[in-house]
Amino acid sequence: MADEPEITGTESSGTEAPEPTSSGAKNAGTNARTNSGANSGTEPETKPTAAGDAAPAGKIATKPTPARPRDTAWRRLAGAFRPHSSRAQVAAAVLLAALGFAATVQVRALRNTDEFTNADRTQLIQIMDGLQQRSRRLETDIGDLQRSKADLVSGADRRRSALEQAQTRAQTLGILAGTLPATGPGIRLTITDHQAAVNASLVLNTIEELRDAGAEAIEINDQVRVVASSYVLDGQGGIIVDGKLLPAPYTIDAIGDARTLATAMRIPGGVVDEVSQKGGLASVLERQTIQVNSLHSVVSPRYAHPAPDKSPGSSSR
């Protein structure tokens, strides 16, 4: 008989020994590295694997979480409302503010000059004529004063010139103070009041309007001379001027440029219109000669005294 080949192995184990392969060798190396990491007490370093590679043994493959997208629309909207200022914008703002201020001032100035808007052509011509006459009168006064100054400075007879100037000055002050009678061109204003609607306030406004128009002497009802210290009050049955009761109608004589004074009384919204609104009647007559004969009784002041002359180099506080 031919010899049968011997069968080597262990039958008692009941298992066959696996054949050694190259993959098995690789697994063995991997297991060895894994065991050495476990023995060292640290987890093995996990490296990212390429697509298609199998996950390491004992690990669950997870995908990387994508970053949360930013809401760029809201950020852009917030940036649009965020204030951004530059030097050019600041300069433009300052220029616009200055332009607005100048425009406001100009509008207010134009409003202030609209007081004669309702006046017709005839009334405007009268107002212009009155202003021109006042200007000529002031120019004449300036010329007289300059001639007087020249006579006092370079005149041959300075003493006589000084005496004449003093007399003229005393007469002027006497007329203005109401201690001397006066005569000259002017107007007579008559206010008729049947309803007792004309009060002291209206008469006082009339006096102020006459003074503003250049009246140099004023007399009421041929009885009271109006001066700087005069006062007007409401009384029973009339008005009280400087302590004297004057009944209606009221006659006011004023010496000055007749045309200018008449224009001031007839101006729209002036004395004539105001008296008419109160139910009275005001008439203005221009005359070449007005007589003002009432005199004002001068009373010595109780509180006011002449100020002492200032010495050279002294300063007042």
Side-chain angles (χ1 to χ4, degrees), residues 42-50 54-62:
T42 58
E43 295 182 1
E45 182 180 359
T46 302
K47 295 183 180 180
T49 60
K59 296 290 183 178
I60 300 175
T62 58

Side-chain angles (χ1 to χ4, degrees), residues 57-220:
K59 296 290 183 178
I60 300 175
T62 58
K63 296 182 179 181
T65 304
R68 186 177 182 180
R70 297 180 180 179
D71 198 348
T72 58
W74 285 104
R75 290 181 177 274
R76 291 179 180 177
L77 183 61
F81 287 99
R82 187 176 300 169
H84 299 283
S85 61
S86 62
R87 293 183 178 179
Q89 292 175 347
V90 173
V94 172
L95 290 176
L96 289 176
L99 182 61
F101 177 76
T104 303
V105 173
Q106 183 67 22
V107 170
R108 290 184 178 180
L110 292 176
R111 288 180 180 177
N112 293 334
T113 58
D114 289 340
E115 55 181 337
F116 300 124
T117 303
N118 298 326
D120 55 16
R121 183 176 180 179
T122 304
Q123 293 172 341
L124 291 175
I125 291 175
Q126 293 177 352
I127 295 172
M128 291 297 297
D129 291 342
L131 294 176
Q132 290 177 357
Q133 291 177 5
R134 176 186 286 186
S135 177
R136 288 193 295 268
R137 180 171 58 84
L138 292 176
E139 290 177 356
T140 302
D141 294 342
I142 293 174
D144 294 340
L145 292 175
Q146 289 177 348
R147 286 190 294 270
S148 300
K149 179 181 178 181
D151 293 339
L152 291 174
V153 173
S154 60
D157 192 354
R158 296 183 181 180
R159 184 174 182 180
R160 182 176 59 83
S161 298
L163 181 60
E164 292 177 356
Q165 292 295 326
Q167 292 176 350
T168 303
R169 186 67 175 171
Q171 292 176 358
T172 302
L173 293 177
I175 293 174
L176 296 177
T179 57
L180 294 177
T183 183
I187 64 170
R188 167 164 284 192
L189 174 66
T190 303
I191 300 176
T192 304
D193 182 22
H194 298 292
Q195 301 178 0
V198 177
N199 53 13
S201 177
L202 192 149
V203 175
L204 182 60
N205 291 338
T206 303
I207 295 172
E208 294 298 331
E209 290 290 339
L210 290 172
R211 285 175 174 170
D212 292 340
E216 298 173 350
I218 303 174
E219 183 183 52
I220 302 178

Side-chain angles (χ1 to χ4, degrees), residues 7-16:
I7 298 174
T8 61
T10 55
E11 294 180 359
S12 61
S13 61
T15 58
E16 295 180 357

